[in-house]
């Protein structure tokens, strides 16, 4: 089975901190995605990547950046955390023509 | 204009009955369709995918696709309380290799 592992299940950070969310997949998938999910707003795409060192902005990239130095790892960076970035963050990976596999999610609270 | 539409619910179904979840999409060229189940506080998990017109069955689950009418549905037979979750419909966009997500339908199975 494909495994997508997110480094933290719960995270509490202070406003202004730089936050790193790590995601690792073990099935050699080309594509990786970062979403946030908030009640009533559904899944919103932050960034995605189709290859190493490649990144594309999703629908809500402001306040975030990403890094993909290795194929299996896709990191989401909150440059200066703010309270409106409190959310559930979901990482997913996929091959070209199949559905996504999600990690277990990171519930981030910014105080 | 939302590209994938779902009724947000909640949809309440008695235990043992058939639950019917519907999804419409706007891109007539879409070829691949996915249903995900998401329990509260958990990440989405893939339960069904369908590529061809007609029905696809997997245990108690049946996915139905009608490309002419641009809708896809999920039937759950013999509904169980453990089926209570939010069901997300997703449509694969060949143009950018991404899934476009519906907002999800909350399903409640009443014992």
């Amino acid at each position: 089975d494909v495994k997508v592992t997110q480094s933290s299940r719960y995270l509490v950070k202070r406003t202004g901190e730089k936050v790193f969310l790590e995601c690792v997949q073990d099935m050699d998938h080309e594509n990786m995605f970062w979403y946030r999910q908030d009640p009533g707003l559904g899944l919103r795409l932050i960034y995605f990547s189709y290859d190493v060192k490649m990144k594309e902005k999703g629908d809500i990239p402001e306040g975030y950046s990403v890094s993909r130095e290795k194929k299996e790892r896709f990191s989401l960076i909150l440059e200066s955390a703010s309270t409106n970035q409190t959310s559930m963050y979901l990482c997913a990976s996929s091959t070209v023509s199949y559905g996504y596999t999600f990690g277990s999610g990171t519930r981030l609270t910014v105080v | 204009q939302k590209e994938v539409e779902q009724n947000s619910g909640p949809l309440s179904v008695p235990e043992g009955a058939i639950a019917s979840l519907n999804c419409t999409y706007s891109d007539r060229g879409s070829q691949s369709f996915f249903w995900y189940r998401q329990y509260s506080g958990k990440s989405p998990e893939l339960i069904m995918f369908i590529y061809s017109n007609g029905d696809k069955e997997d245990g108690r689950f049946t996915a139905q696709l009608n490309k002419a009418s641009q809708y896809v549905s999920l039937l759950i037979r013999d509904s169980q309380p453990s089926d209570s979750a939010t069901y997300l419909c997703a449509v694969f966009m060949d143009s950018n290799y991404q899934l476009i997500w519906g907002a999800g339908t909350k399903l409640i199975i009443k014992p």
Side-chain angles (χ1 to χ4, degrees):
Chain A
D1 279 353
V2 176
K3 268 199 173 168
V4 179
T5 303
Q6 294 185 231
S7 53
S8 304
R9 188 76 179 92
Y10 298 95
L11 213 51
V12 180
K13 294 293 182 181
R14 296 195 180 277
T15 301
E17 275 193 80
K18 191 168 186 175
V19 181
F20 294 85
L21 303 183
E22 304 288 342
C23 176
V24 178
Q25 51 96 1
D26 66 359
M27 285 299 289
D28 202 36
H29 282 178
E30 301 91 354
N31 309 323
M32 297 189 75
F33 306 84
W34 274 107
Y35 287 90
R36 65 178 283 179
Q37 189 176 35
D38 302 287
L41 296 178
L43 286 166
R44 293 185 290 168
L45 182 63
I46 305 171
Y47 268 96
F48 59 98
S49 170
Y50 292 148
D51 202 352
V52 177
K53 297 194 186 293
M54 177 270 183
K55 59 187 177 184
E56 294 284 347
K57 293 180 180 178
D59 300 320
I60 52 163
E62 295 79 18
Y64 303 94
S65 62
V66 290
S67 172
R68 194 167 181 197
E69 295 296 319
K70 294 184 177 182
K71 190 174 185 179
E72 67 270 20
R73 186 181 296 270
F74 193 37
S75 303
L76 180 69
I77 303 155
L78 285 66
E79 298 291 344
S80 176
S82 64
T83 55
N84 63 11
Q85 293 179 309
T86 291
S87 186
M88 170 71 97
Y89 289 87
L90 292 163
C91 174
S93 74
S94 76
T95 57
V96 169
S97 58
Y98 197 64
Y100 297 179
T101 300
F102 284 88
S104 55
T106 296
R107 186 163 293 281
L108 172 68
T109 302
V110 182
V111 297
Chain B
Q1 180 187 357
K2 290 209 77 170
E3 297 182 54
V4 179
E5 296 270 8
Q6 294 182 259
N7 189 320
S8 61
L11 174 65
S12 184
V13 174
E15 183 176 357
I18 296 176
S20 178
L21 304 161
N22 298 312
C23 171
T24 59
Y25 60 94
S26 59
D27 184 354
R28 191 169 284 279
S30 298
Q31 299 292 325
S32 310
F33 307 87
F34 301 83
W35 283 101
Y36 283 76
R37 177 178 62 201
Q38 186 175 23
Y39 292 115
S40 181
K42 304 292 187 182
S43 60
E45 56 177 328
L46 179 65
I47 54 171
M48 290 285 289
F49 60 90
I50 186 167
Y51 303 136
S52 304
N53 265 337
D55 295 0
K56 179 182 178 182
E57 190 173 313
D58 183 2
R60 296 187 296 112
F61 297 94
T62 299
Q64 298 177 317
L65 175 60
N66 184 322
K67 289 186 178 180
S69 300
Q70 295 177 243
Y71 81 78
V72 57
S73 59
L74 180 70
L75 302 179
I76 306 174
R77 289 182 301 280
D78 188 23
S79 297
Q80 303 296 310
S82 59
D83 295 325
S84 297
T86 296
Y87 289 80
L88 302 171
C89 172
V91 177
F92 186 75
M93 302 293 289
D94 292 337
S95 57
N96 60 11
Y97 305 126
Q98 287 184 32
L99 285 180
I100 306 301
W101 297 88
T105 298
K106 185 172 184 177
L107 175 66
I108 299 172
I109 307 299
K110 290 188 170 180

